[in-house]
Amino acid sequence: MIVFQKRFDMVHIANSTLAGGVAIGTTANVVLEPYHAMIIGVIAGAVSVIGYKYITPFLSEKLGIHDTCGVNNLHGMPGLIAGFASIAFLFIYDESRYPSQYDKIYPGMARAEDGKRMFDEKTQALNQLMAIGLVFLASTISGYITGLLLKLKIWDQVRDDEYYADGDYFETPGDYDFTSRIVTSVQKIEVAEYNPLSQKEV
């Protein structure tokens, strides 16, 4: 009898669900078939879980990039999926499948009075690809600048032993100092060996 020791992580489940919503955002008014939405959601959910499981630890340990809230896994990579999906759907559907809505979805491809479009599919796809690149560049630069500003000593950074405490910034209950010290101590404990209970022991 095979007994699987792996457990589902609720962080992965919750965030992968939200990642699907992020990824479908740019194509919500384009997707016409349910299975297209399911494919995008599954891809975004899988990428989000892979991000939390492998990419976030790699960025933290190897590059020193600390993603405190998993923003890259929930919004960053699913957002890129959304951008590329919007490009893909330019070529998946033709104009006849969007009754009177095609020009609203892709204003740059609206037909003029002479019946000609401002952009064809390839040009529109290139424009959207460049937009993805510009957003990625702007977010990277602005994030880097924000990080540099927050590292300035004038901001009174949180001390290492107060990472999990809020006493310096919020009104706290009377026993707060005691409980926060316990939590901080527990966070520093490393489990040397973990042996999950077998089914017989349960």
Side-chain angles (χ1 to χ4, degrees):
M1 179 179 179
I2 299 176
V3 178
F4 293 98
Q5 302 294 349
K6 297 293 184 181
R7 300 290 188 271
F8 287 111
D9 190 323
M10 286 307 300
V11 173
H12 298 168
I13 294 174
N15 284 282
S16 61
T17 303
L18 296 173
V22 173
I24 201 66
T26 59
T27 54
N29 60 345
V30 178
V31 175
L32 297 180
E33 304 294 344
Y35 73 89
H36 289 130
M38 293 176 64
I39 291 173
I40 293 175
V42 168
I43 293 174
V47 168
S48 177
V49 172
I50 292 172
Y52 277 104
K53 183 67 176 178
Y54 301 106
I55 297 178
T56 294
F58 173 81
L59 293 176
S60 178
E61 296 171 7
K62 303 298 183 181
L63 303 180
I65 300 175
H66 185 52
D67 188 357
T68 57
C69 298
V71 175
N72 180 53
N73 309 315
L74 176 55
H75 296 283
M77 294 186 294
L80 288 175
I81 293 173
F84 290 121
S86 69
I87 295 174
F89 276 94
L90 275 169
F91 302 99
I92 292 176
Y93 294 126
D94 57 49
E95 186 176 356
S96 63
R97 300 199 66 180
Y98 297 94
S100 72
Q101 296 181 0
Y102 196 79
D103 294 349
K104 296 179 181 179
I105 297 173
Y106 300 111
M109 298 176 64
R111 292 187 181 277
E113 294 181 358
D114 58 1
K116 295 182 179 180
R117 295 176 179 170
M118 183 182 303
F119 303 125
D120 58 12
E121 284 85 353
K122 292 183 179 180
T123 305
Q124 179 66 27
L126 182 60
N127 290 340
Q128 292 183 211
L129 183 62
M130 289 189 295
I132 294 173
L134 288 174
V135 171
F136 183 81
L137 181 64
S139 60
T140 301
I141 294 175
S142 61
Y144 185 76
I145 293 174
T146 301
L148 291 177
L149 292 175
L150 291 177
K151 290 179 68 175
L152 296 177
K153 299 301 182 182
I154 61 175
W155 304 120
D156 187 24
Q157 284 88 349
V158 178
R159 300 180 299 277
D160 290 349
D161 58 350
E162 292 290 335
Y163 276 161
Y164 304 97
D166 297 321
D168 291 342
Y169 305 99
F170 299 94
E171 292 185 8
T172 56
D175 62 346
Y176 176 80
D177 289 336
F178 172 74
T179 55
S180 63
R181 284 197 300 271
I182 293 178
V183 172
T184 302
S185 299
V186 170
Q187 292 289 343
K188 295 180 180 179
I189 295 176
E190 295 184 2
V191 179
E193 184 177 357
Y194 170 65
N195 295 316
L197 296 176
S198 64
Q199 286 192 338
K200 292 182 178 180
E201 293 174 318
V202 174

